[in-house]
Amino acid sequence: MRWLPGILLASVAAAAPDARLIVPEGPVWTGQRTPVFIELRAPGSFSGAASFDVPPIAKTTVMKVGNPTLSSETVDGSEVFVQRHEFALFSQADGTLEVPPVTARFRHRIGYTGDARETSQVTEASKIQLRRPPGSP
């Protein structure tokens, strides 16, 4: 940062839009409702509804539930807006379940005002450990 008479100039890089897949760390039971989240991150407020392309997963059903929650964080001096979406995952698989990348499409502004920009972001793949309940076939 440097000062000019009456003006503060700051070098603040706007965070790039991003999508993150969040899965439980520990093992879950086969057939149990497992909460999975996708966080959308953008350098400004969101506009409109986000959409998701969830690839099929063998022996598994994934459903969007509820409404997104909104928050913001400061990352490297820049405000980042976060929209968190919840999904319910039900799987009859056993062992390690590979959750493939999910494509998220959403619109956001830079800061609080201005035109909304459309973006498409892809999450990284993830894994969930599944265990059969004791005594189940």
Side-chain angles (χ1 to χ4, degrees), residues 18-40:
D18 187 27
R20 299 177 183 178
L21 179 63
I22 301 167
V23 300
E25 289 184 24
V28 297
W29 296 118
T30 296
Q32 171 185 352
R33 178 183 185 220
T34 305
V36 173
F37 299 92
I38 296 178
E39 281 188 352
L40 307 178

Side-chain angles (χ1 to χ4, degrees), residues 25 84 98 102 104 107 111 113 118 122:
E25 289 184 24
R84 186 177 174 120
E98 184 82 29
V102 175
R107 294 170 52 87
T113 61
E118 196 161 322
V122 179

Side-chain angles (χ1 to χ4, degrees), residues 23-77:
V23 300
E25 289 184 24
V28 297
W29 296 118
T30 296
Q32 171 185 352
R33 178 183 185 220
T34 305
V36 173
F37 299 92
I38 296 178
E39 281 188 352
L40 307 178
R41 296 169 173 274
S45 59
F46 292 94
S47 175
S51 63
F52 303 92
D53 295 330
V54 181
I57 306 170
K59 298 183 178 180
T60 303
T61 299
V62 180
M63 303 180 332
K64 174 96 172 67
V65 295
N67 295 314
T69 58
L70 300 171
S71 63
S72 67
E73 301 173 355
T74 301
V75 177
D76 296 330

